Amino acid sequence: MVEEDNLRRQFEREAVEGGEPYNPAGWINGISIRFATLPRVSWALLWMQHGGRFIATWLFGLFVIAMLMTWFNIGEEIGAHAFWTEAVFPFVAYLYAPAFLFWAIGRFLEKHFPHIIYRRPKGPKWELNRRTGMVTLYYDPETDERTGEISAQAPFDEWDGYLVTLPDRQGNLWYRLNLVHKTEEWALPLNQLMPATTNREDVLAFWLLVCRYMDVTQPLPDIPLFESFRHQDPRSVRHDEKAGRNPRYWRDMSKQEYERFKQDNRHKLHNNKW
């Protein structure tokens, strides 16, 4: 939360000083939640970097241990040269060397040329607007030329929340939240805000969070994400003044207090009568 505040102020300051205009395609604030994602090229470069890092660190360490164990078991029987050419070299040449290279290239670009990776999104994908009460879907910026244009829109009370259950190959159940219009064939997966989880109560609580956010008769949900915007929301201002809430309640909380809060909250979620 603190990092997001600092970055936003930095971008706004750079725009005032003559830099690139601060015009984000997506945001989360007390007025609306507008989702936009990086272009596919950016995601490909990020996957290249972090996938290479994972292979070059975690998997390479396991590979070294496995090769050492294999050498002590059968290495002397086949000889060092055959062991290297048949067992070690193919993995090094075709898997780990490219992984180290991808990691190095991606890290270099991110550090020295971040604009190549973090490209401006082409447009938003959807929006939940607290002030207007509207749910808006936009044309896909990656596949449709009508980027930024509205493809579907309806008041929030015309949408239902659906708990979607997805089994994986091991038989574990994963849950996520979808918004589905009551009469039209419109669906909005909200897994961009909260990824699929094996904890059913997390998705149920997330649905209550969305309902609370879209209800202007109630204050903004009191979570760290919205603390920077509570003073801009009239209902939240009246609630906080009446309750005597510290405007920096979350930002002044110590790590120990925050960890204790998370444990207590997890216990409440688990024992709630959904």
Side-chain angles (χ1 to χ4, degrees), residues 11 16 29 47-48 53 58 67 98 107 119 127 131 137 151 163 169 173 176 179 206 224 227 244 259 266:
F11 294 149
V16 171
N29 55 40
W47 276 106
M48 179 190 76
R53 178 176 60 86
W58 290 93
M67 288 298 101
R107 186 70 185 94
R119 306 186 181 193
E127 181 184 49
R131 293 284 175 88
L137 308 182
S151 65
L163 179 69
R169 295 181 179 179
L173 290 180
R176 73 179 188 188
L179 289 186
F206 180 50
E227 185 169 76
E259 290 300 323
R266 170 58 56 192

Side-chain angles (χ1 to χ4, degrees), residues 63 67 81-96:
F63 170 74
M67 288 298 101
H81 182 268
F83 183 77
W84 166 260
T85 56
E86 297 180 11
V88 179
F89 180 77
F91 286 96
V92 173
Y94 301 116
L95 179 61
Y96 295 108

Side-chain angles (χ1 to χ4, degrees), residues 146-170:
R146 293 168 290 184
T147 298
E149 297 183 19
I150 296 174
S151 65
Q153 188 178 61
F156 179 72
D157 58 8
E158 294 184 9
W159 301 74
D160 286 327
Y162 276 72
L163 179 69
V164 180
T165 305
L166 303 169
D168 61 19
R169 295 181 179 179
Q170 288 73 39

Side-chain angles (χ1 to χ4, degrees), residues 199-209 263-274:
N199 296 317
R200 178 174 176 270
E201 61 269 16
D202 285 350
V203 179
L204 297 174
F206 180 50
W207 168 239
L208 295 181
L209 175 74
Q263 293 178 3
D264 294 342
N265 194 54
R266 170 58 56 192
H267 181 74
K268 291 178 181 178
L269 287 177
H270 181 73
N271 291 285
N272 191 58
K273 303 298 183 182
W274 298 104

Side-chain angles (χ1 to χ4, degrees), residues 245-258:
R245 182 188 181 278
N246 176 13
R248 297 182 55 89
Y249 172 74
W250 292 106
R251 280 169 284 189
D252 291 344
M253 186 179 292
S254 67
K255 291 184 178 180
Q256 294 77 12
E257 291 174 327
Y258 186 59

Side-chain angles (χ1 to χ4, degrees), residues 1 28-33 128 130 193 205-231 233 235-237 239-240 245 247 249-250 261:
M1 178 180 63
I28 297 179
N29 55 40
I31 297 176
S32 68
I33 299 174
L128 303 177
R130 173 175 167 88
L193 289 183
F206 180 50
W207 168 239
L208 295 181
L209 175 74
V210 173
C211 292
R212 173 72 172 270
Y213 177 82
M214 295 297 290
D215 185 358
V216 293
T217 66
Q218 300 188 65
L220 286 167
D222 197 354
I223 61 174
L225 186 64
F226 298 125
E227 185 169 76
S228 300
F229 310 104
R230 295 184 69 86
H231 69 283
D233 183 72
R235 185 65 184 85
S236 300
V237 170
H239 171 272
D240 293 351
R245 182 188 181 278
Y249 172 74
W250 292 106
F261 165 83

Side-chain angles (χ1 to χ4, degrees), residues 117-137:
I117 295 182
Y118 299 105
R119 306 186 181 193
R120 182 186 295 275
K122 297 179 180 180
K125 301 192 74 171
W126 54 263
E127 181 184 49
L128 303 177
N129 195 300
R130 173 175 167 88
R131 293 284 175 88
T132 65
M134 302 297 288
V135 178
T136 305
L137 308 182

